[in-house]
Amino acid sequence: MVVNKVKTSRIKNSKEEFVIGKIVCVGRNYAEHVKELGNELPDKPVLFLKPASAAIYTGESIIHPDYGNELHHEVELVLLIGKTVKKASLEKAEEAIAGYGGGLDMTLRDVQNELKKKGEPWTLAKCFDTSAVLSDFILKENYSLTLEEEISLTVNGQVKQKEKLNKMISTPAELVSYISSVMTLEKGDLIFTGTPSGVGRVQRGDKLVGNIENVGELNCSII
Ligand code: ZN
């Protein structure tokens, strides 16, 4: 794999450049997924970060880290931020979303469970190289998201995750508004909006295909 210092999101039908800034991830944003992991519904979205260096594109391979055994797939809607916003109202937050894509928030679940027990940050479980897989993005000017779209993930052709985006607890605009109350969001930043239920373990050799209806598809193998 060629490692570029600067990574940009790939945009359909556009030459506009979006250099990937920070990747903000939301946890526990679908009730069924909160239940399946035995977690409690949060009052506020749970937030964590991934470095831009963790990003790979559809068609590339996820490298299974050797310090964990339970690598889980989490398919998610990803928001592409188009302008700087801070303490944004819902309206301003909506305006700051430039487009949408699909993503995989790859997670070492066994490592995360150990870190949770110890009260330590999730960095080792969430931020390793290739842990953020990205589809191509579609700009809002080319597609308006209705939240009626289906998000899905198959492993070796078997459906593992399948849900409507309208099952999200916080909407895209609500997430952007909330995150911008904590940290300034800038053009090129990405927001992973949480995963629906059905997360599970993948192993080396598995082939993953994620899809968000009308938005984007991604495929990758585990090596
Ligand atoms: Zn996630």
Side-chain angles (χ1 to χ4, degrees):
M1 191 174 72
V2 178
V3 180
N4 297 317
K5 270 196 175 157
V6 171
K7 293 193 180 194
T8 56
S9 293
R10 295 181 182 168
I11 317 292
K12 289 178 211 169
N13 306 317
S14 171
K15 292 218 161 59
E16 189 173 355
E17 197 169 74
F18 291 84
V19 175
I20 301 175
K22 55 191 169 294
I23 303 175
V24 186
C25 300
V26 176
R28 304 181 197 170
N29 199 25
Y30 290 81
E32 287 300 314
H33 171 64
V34 175
K35 263 193 234 165
E36 76 179 343
L37 292 187
N39 288 318
E40 295 198 349
L41 274 177
D43 300 334
K44 292 265 168 65
V46 173
L47 303 181
F48 59 94
L49 296 172
K50 281 181 191 265
S53 53
I56 60 169
Y57 306 103
T58 175
E60 297 185 328
S61 299
I62 296 164
I63 302 167
H64 194 313
D66 55 13
Y67 60 86
N69 290 317
E70 280 178 49
L71 180 61
H72 274 203
H73 53 76
E74 296 191 355
V75 68
E76 313 198 359
L77 171 72
V78 182
L79 311 176
L80 174 67
I81 298 298
K83 56 167 127 169
T84 301
V85 275
K86 189 175 178 172
K87 298 190 169 76
S89 63
L90 283 179
E91 195 188 346
K92 293 282 175 207
E94 186 59 54
E95 281 172 24
I97 301 170
Y100 307 98
L104 286 177
D105 163 19
M106 298 305 295
T107 303
L108 280 171
R109 193 73 64 202
D110 51 345
V111 173
Q112 186 191 29
N113 288 338
E114 281 305 307
L115 295 168
K116 276 186 190 169
K117 265 188 231 160
K118 291 190 277 186
E120 290 181 7
W122 296 353
T123 309
L124 292 174
K126 291 281 196 182
C127 305
F128 52 89
D129 289 352
T130 76
S131 65
V133 185
L134 299 172
S135 76
D136 291 354
F137 285 79
I138 189 159
L139 294 179
K140 253 186 182 172
E141 61 203 55
N142 294 317
Y143 182 69
S144 345
L145 198 74
T146 64
L147 298 183
E148 289 297 318
E149 295 83 359
E150 190 173 82
I151 180 169
S152 64
L153 180 97
T154 65
V155 178
N156 303 326
Q158 277 196 317
V159 179
K160 299 289 185 184
Q161 296 187 270
K162 192 175 170 182
E163 190 59 275
K164 288 270 186 103
L165 291 177
N166 63 18
K167 291 285 168 62
M168 285 194 285
I169 295 168
S170 299
T171 64
E174 286 168 348
L175 291 173
V176 170
S177 174
Y178 175 64
I179 295 166
S180 80
S181 75
V182 177
M183 62 187 96
T184 301
L185 289 170
E186 299 168 297
K187 182 178 178 180
D189 288 349
L190 299 175
I191 297 173
F192 276 61
T193 59
T195 196
S197 61
V199 300
R201 187 179 178 186
V202 289
Q203 309 200 51
R204 290 181 182 86
D206 285 347
K207 292 196 183 328
L208 280 56
V209 177
N211 187 58
I212 300 175
E213 220 179 337
N214 306 327
V215 170
E217 185 176 272
L218 55 84
N219 65 79
C220 52
S221 305
I222 314 289
I223 58 172

